[in-house]
């Protein structure tokens, strides 16, 4: 096992780092670092900067606009973007639907959707979770009945991120309710959000932001040509997609940047006249999260080494998801501890005071990050996956 980067990989990292310094708009980076909300237009602006560079979809085949980078280069690119404070790329089209189409889609589906996803012309959302069917996703009840050349969809999806802005949604639906095994009889459909019968209702979260929604389907007609893979075999597609989603959950570069921010904050925030970082109890917590982040980084390198050799990572992806999201939450908790009563979700007193604006973004971010251990399959479910597939329990 080789956990070191080659000289060529380090040269590539330096190239990406230099490009980001030159091309990442300062106003976008400032909003990311301050944990401020980014609008759809701001997210799309960064998407198109990367698309113009040819770097928006590194994992795609070269014929569809991929970079031809190795798995290690793709990891380095993602880590450098996170460390630099680049806006997140909305994954539903680029990193979730597109890999599914490349693996299971028809030629017509790939020709129709992939170029528009690449350019950012279509904005996607994910229709998986339902009331009562979150972690136990296979219990979903949204139904799709075949009538001629269409499926008629009825049901509800919930916690649907960016559905109020999306042009398309990819959905898991039940096409055969008579199957004994609940994972069978599920299909994967691509649905135009402008289709009559779709209603989107907002869900306002703890941080006060409108990011997620409920989506209702009432006799929504979906062309049969929008079925991905075989009817009743959608669970195979779902598992493939969730593997891609969990692989992107660790966000090591982002956590490294935020750890540095936390250290700087603790060095200047006073407690009893001394920097908070001199407090042994706080320093112990800070050291603990730094050690866990180092261990996560090494674990990720082990997974990369497997992928470099052409081996599938399997349940190891669940470990990355668990520890990555737990570290993200720990960092938000320590940020709140360090800033104290200034961590409040209101407009800062002085608009020109950057420190106040930074502090005001911490409480909403703390609230928002409670969800990280739930999405992409809750961490409890991930532990069950590890127990079953790695430990044989």
């Amino acid at each position: 096992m080789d956990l070191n980067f080659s000289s060529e990989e380090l040269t590539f990292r330096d190239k990406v780092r230099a490009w980001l310094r030159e091309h990442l708009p300062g106003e976008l980076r400032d909003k990311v670092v301050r944990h401020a909300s980014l609008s759809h237009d701001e997210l799309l602006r960064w998407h198109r900067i990367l698309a113009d560079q040819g770097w928006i979809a590194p994992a795609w085949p070269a014929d569809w606009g991929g970079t031809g980078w190795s798995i290690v280069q793709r990891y380095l690119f993602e880590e450098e973007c996170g460390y630099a404070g680049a806006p997140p790329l909305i994954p539903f089209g680029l990193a979730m639907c597109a890999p599914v189409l490349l693996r299971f889609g028809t030629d017509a589906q790939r020709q129709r959707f992939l170029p528009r996803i690449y350019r950012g012309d279509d904005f996607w959302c994910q229709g998986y979770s339902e009331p009562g069917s979150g972690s136990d996703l296979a219990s979903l009840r949204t139904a799709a009945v075949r009538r001629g050349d269409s499926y008629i969809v009825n049901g509800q999806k919930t916690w649907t991120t960016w559905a109020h802005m999306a042009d398309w949604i990819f959905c898991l639906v039940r096409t055969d309710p008579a199957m004994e095994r609940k994972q069978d009889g599920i299909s994967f459909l691509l649905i135009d959000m402008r289709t009559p019968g779709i209603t989107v209702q907002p869900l306002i979260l703890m941080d006060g932001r409108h990011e997620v929604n409920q989506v209702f389907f009432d006799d929504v007609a979906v062309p049969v040509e929008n079925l991905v893979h075989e009817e009743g075999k959608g669970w195979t597609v779902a598992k493939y997609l969730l593997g891609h989603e969990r692989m992107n959950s660790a966000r090591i570069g982002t956590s490294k940047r935020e750890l540095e921010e936390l250290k700087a904050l603790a060095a200047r925030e006073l407690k009893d006249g001394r920097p908070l970082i001199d407090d042994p109890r706080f320093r112990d917590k800070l050291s603990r999260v730094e050690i866990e982040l180092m261990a996560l980084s090494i674990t990720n390198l082990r997974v990369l080494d497997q992928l470099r050799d052409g081996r599938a990572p399997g349940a190891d992806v669940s470990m990355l998801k668990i520890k990555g999201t737990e570290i993200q939450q720990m960092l938000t908790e320590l940020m709140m501890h360090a800033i104290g009563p200034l961590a409040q979700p209101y407009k800062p007193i002085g608009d020109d005071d950057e420190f106040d604006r930074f502090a005001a973004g911490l409480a909403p971010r703390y609230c928002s990050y409670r969800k990280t251990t739930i999405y992409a399959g809750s961490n409890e479910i991930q532990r069950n996956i590890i127990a079953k597939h790695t430990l044989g329990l």
Side-chain angles (χ1 to χ4, degrees):
M1 182 176 295
D2 185 2
L3 301 184
N4 297 306
F5 296 120
S6 68
S7 59
E8 292 81 5
E9 289 164 348
L10 292 175
T11 299
F12 171 82
R13 183 195 65 186
D14 293 340
K15 173 187 174 183
V16 170
R17 189 173 294 177
W19 186 87
L20 287 168
R21 280 197 301 266
E22 182 178 352
H23 293 90
L24 173 58
E27 60 272 25
L28 295 184
R29 181 189 183 280
D30 289 345
K31 292 192 78 169
V32 171
V33 170
R34 289 192 288 108
H35 315 298
S37 295
L38 288 154
S39 68
H40 175 270
D41 288 343
E42 287 171 323
L43 294 171
L44 187 56
R45 178 186 175 192
W46 178 238
H47 178 116
R48 287 182 170 157
I49 288 173
L50 287 176
D52 289 343
Q53 177 65 13
W55 289 0
I56 191 61
W60 293 17
D63 290 346
W64 291 103
T67 58
W69 294 343
S70 68
I71 186 69
V72 177
Q73 288 174 316
R74 299 202 301 265
Y75 166 75
L76 287 170
F77 174 70
E78 291 173 5
E79 184 169 280
E80 288 301 316
C81 284
Y83 188 74
L89 295 173
I90 302 301
F92 304 113
L94 284 170
M96 297 165 72
C97 186
V100 161
L101 293 177
L102 287 164
R103 173 65 178 83
F104 298 101
T106 64
D107 287 340
Q109 288 170 343
R110 288 191 283 266
Q111 292 284 352
R112 179 182 181 186
F113 293 111
L114 290 182
R116 294 184 62 82
I117 292 173
Y118 190 95
R119 295 192 303 266
D121 294 337
D122 285 337
F123 200 74
W124 285 77
C125 62
Q126 178 186 35
Y128 269 29
S129 294
E130 300 180 5
S133 300
S135 295
D136 183 19
L137 182 59
S139 66
L140 64 90
R141 291 174 293 178
T142 295
V145 178
R146 175 79 179 263
R147 292 182 188 167
D149 293 332
S150 297
Y151 288 100
I152 305 303
V153 180
N154 285 279
Q156 177 185 355
K157 297 295 180 178
T158 194
W159 309 121
T160 314
T161 304
W162 299 115
H164 56 299
M165 297 182 180
D167 303 295
W168 285 81
I169 182 171
F170 54 85
C171 268
L172 288 179
V173 296
R174 191 165 297 282
T175 46
D176 187 349
M179 301 299 290
E180 181 177 346
R181 183 173 175 266
K182 62 184 179 181
Q183 288 85 356
D184 295 331
I186 293 173
S187 298
F188 192 100
L189 290 181
L190 310 176
I191 304 176
D192 188 335
M193 290 292 287
R194 294 160 294 191
T195 309
I198 296 179
T199 303
V200 178
Q201 293 183 355
L203 292 170
I204 306 303
L205 299 182
M206 292 172 64
D207 59 4
R209 297 172 182 172
H210 177 199
E211 184 176 301
V212 297
N213 306 270
Q214 299 183 88
V215 181
F216 298 90
F217 300 88
D218 297 299
D219 289 332
V220 175
V222 180
V224 170
E225 66 202 44
N226 288 8
L227 171 71
V228 177
H229 198 36
E230 301 174 33
E231 183 177 301
K233 301 296 183 181
W235 193 248
T236 300
V237 181
K239 290 191 296 182
Y240 182 83
L241 186 149
L242 285 171
H244 281 266
E245 185 177 6
R246 289 165 189 157
M247 192 73 181
N248 296 325
S249 298
R251 298 179 183 173
I252 294 171
T254 299
S255 291
K256 286 180 177 179
R257 171 175 51 78
E258 295 189 346
L259 178 64
E260 291 182 4
E261 294 171 5
L262 175 59
K263 288 180 176 180
L265 180 61
R268 66 176 180 260
E269 185 67 14
L270 299 181
K271 179 182 179 182
D272 299 327
R274 296 183 303 159
L276 180 61
I277 203 167
D278 289 345
D279 182 316
R281 296 182 67 183
F282 183 84
R283 194 165 61 242
D284 176 66
K285 295 176 182 178
L286 185 62
S287 299
R288 190 181 300 261
V289 72
E290 183 167 15
I291 290 168
E292 295 212 3
L293 182 54
M294 292 171 62
L296 175 66
S297 183
I298 292 171
T299 302
N300 203 64
L301 291 175
R302 287 170 47 209
V303 173
L304 281 175
D305 190 61
Q306 293 179 30
L307 295 171
R308 183 189 280 156
D309 291 342
R311 292 173 287 162
D316 291 347
V317 173
S318 293
M319 288 192 292
L320 300 179
K321 197 273 176 179
I322 291 169
K323 293 311 300 180
T325 54
E326 289 180 350
I327 287 169
Q328 291 160 34
Q329 288 184 347
M330 284 190 284
L331 287 167
T332 67
E333 291 164 11
L334 290 177
M335 286 275 196
M336 292 285 283
H337 183 163
I339 204 67
L342 289 176
Q344 40 78 24
Y346 307 109
K347 182 179 179 181
I349 296 172
D351 286 342
D352 295 326
D353 189 338
E354 292 187 9
F355 182 75
D356 280 350
R357 289 205 302 275
F358 173 78
L362 292 181
R365 177 171 167 271
Y366 169 83
C367 292
S368 177
Y369 270 59
R370 300 309 92 198
K371 68 191 177 191
T372 61
T373 50
I374 300 173
Y375 64 52
S378 72
N379 285 9
E380 291 77 15
I381 293 295
Q382 301 313 306
R383 289 184 170 90
N384 287 343
I385 292 172
I386 292 170
K388 180 178 179 180
H389 295 284
T390 303
L391 304 178
L393 300 179

